[in-house]
Amino acid sequence: MAKMERLQKVIAHAGVASRRKAEQMILDGKVTVNGKVVTELGTKVSKNDDVEVEGVPIDKEEPVYYLLYKPRGVISSVSDDKGRKVVTDYLPEVKERIFPIGRLDYDTSGLIILTNDGEFANMLMHPKHEVDKVYVAKTKGIPSKEQLQQLKKGMTVDGEYLKAVHAKIMSTDGKKNTAIVQVILHEGKNRQVRRMFDALGYPVDKLKRERYGSLDLKGMNAGEYRPLKPHEVKVLREMAEENVK
Ligand code: URA
């Protein structure tokens, strides 16, 4: 017999909405199973049932999870109207409709997760989600220890409060007047590392995300990808669930 799962979970996995929103949609009578409106949250369905949300059949793809080492010069999106390279161009063999979880700037390289699991993506992107994101920045100019402290204290940039969890100098090049700085963030606000260093007066020349929670890029080159192992997905899920509560 096909595996039975709760209706809201199936809808969330299809990437239609978060589980909470899916529950609301069910309660609002927007969901049908085999043509009948279902408003009961406990309803269980299998792959053989036809589930529609607002009249549109949901996609019944198996959830898949990949880690990509995004090169610089690539958009964190599934398509680009200007024809620039996008992250999904690097996973041509993947037939599922995957999308990146969050974004790395066009000029930033590093670790990004792609999935077709909307619920998992929502969970990891939850603002309270406190998984370490480790970045390595090459700065123009060499910030002092005191200036790096400022990143940890927090700063308001363009009316937005930005804060790092950790920042330390890894190395400096006095001749070129550059530094390599490791920065750890919990938040993931738009261009956060670059904006924080701009505000300090040490613009970022190069930026790479080396780690995301328990995942790193060991053994990988830019442009390469690999599926996440089931236990890696489990660990990320547990971390996110723990922090959101
Ligand atoms: N901070 C940035 O400035 N850019 C990124 O892509 C990620 C974090």
Side-chain angles (χ1 to χ4, degrees):
M1 204 177 87
K3 193 172 154 204
M4 302 291 283
E5 292 206 275
R6 288 163 77 83
L7 187 53
Q8 54 268 43
K9 184 172 173 189
V10 172
I11 295 171
H13 271 174
V16 178
S18 67
R19 198 179 296 199
R20 213 169 302 152
K21 282 201 192 117
E23 287 175 355
Q24 197 54 52
M25 288 173 146
I26 296 168
L27 293 172
D28 291 345
K30 291 181 179 165
V31 177
T32 60
V33 177
N34 303 324
K36 284 204 188 98
V37 173
V38 168
T39 53
E40 190 119 348
L41 291 181
T43 306
K44 292 208 167 177
V45 291
S46 80
K47 273 190 171 313
N48 303 326
D49 292 308
D50 288 319
V51 178
E52 293 188 2
V53 176
E54 294 177 323
V56 182
I58 64 158
D59 211 352
K60 287 187 210 157
E61 281 175 358
E62 285 296 323
V64 292
Y65 308 89
Y66 292 94
L67 182 165
L68 170 69
Y69 184 165
K70 175 191 168 306
R72 299 173 74 182
V74 178
I75 310 262
S76 295
S77 175
V78 297
S79 65
D80 182 54
D81 50 13
K82 295 192 191 118
R84 290 169 298 185
K85 266 199 177 285
V86 294
V87 281
T88 42
D89 290 340
Y90 287 87
L91 301 89
E93 293 90 5
V94 176
K95 296 292 167 255
E96 288 85 358
R97 284 189 305 172
I98 52 172
F99 54 89
I101 301 184
R103 272 186 301 166
L104 287 176
D105 302 332
Y106 182 74
D107 284 327
T108 300
S109 65
L111 196 160
I112 192 157
I113 303 170
L114 293 102
T115 184
N116 57 351
D117 183 340
E119 186 196 18
F120 182 77
N122 279 332
M123 205 166 61
L124 282 190
M125 286 193 290
H126 194 287
K128 279 197 206 140
H129 166 58
E130 288 183 357
V131 164
D132 282 359
K133 291 154 199 125
V134 181
Y135 295 88
V136 176
K138 182 177 174 193
T139 58
K140 292 182 191 153
I142 303 173
S144 67
K145 266 196 179 153
E146 292 71 34
Q147 286 167 321
L148 289 185
Q149 283 292 332
Q150 193 59 45
L151 300 179
K152 290 191 266 181
K153 271 197 207 131
M155 47 170 73
T156 303
V157 182
D158 310 324
E160 193 173 25
Y161 187 67
L162 307 176
K163 191 174 179 329
V165 180
H166 186 78
K168 72 170 178 196
I169 302 264
M170 307 295 284
S171 64
T172 57
D173 185 331
K175 261 196 208 136
K176 292 190 182 137
N177 193 29
T178 58
I180 304 292
V181 187
Q182 186 196 62
V183 183
I184 304 184
L185 301 185
H186 280 168
E187 352 179 272
K189 292 177 184 153
N190 189 31
R191 299 180 69 82
Q192 182 163 348
V193 175
R194 291 177 193 274
R195 286 162 67 208
M196 290 180 92
F197 277 102
D198 276 343
L200 275 192
Y202 299 91
V204 170
D205 185 28
K206 272 190 176 168
L207 185 62
K208 177 179 172 187
R209 179 155 73 191
E210 290 203 326
R211 191 155 73 72
Y212 187 108
S214 42
L215 303 175
D216 63 31
L217 292 169
K218 269 191 201 117
M220 294 180 79
N221 295 312
E224 289 180 347
Y225 75 95
R226 68 170 179 86
L228 290 184
K229 299 183 183 104
H231 86 264
E232 291 176 320
V233 176
K234 189 165 167 251
V235 168
L236 281 176
R237 200 184 281 283
E238 281 167 2
M239 275 186 198
E241 278 172 351
E242 229 167 67
N243 291 324
V244 164
K245 267 174 208 154

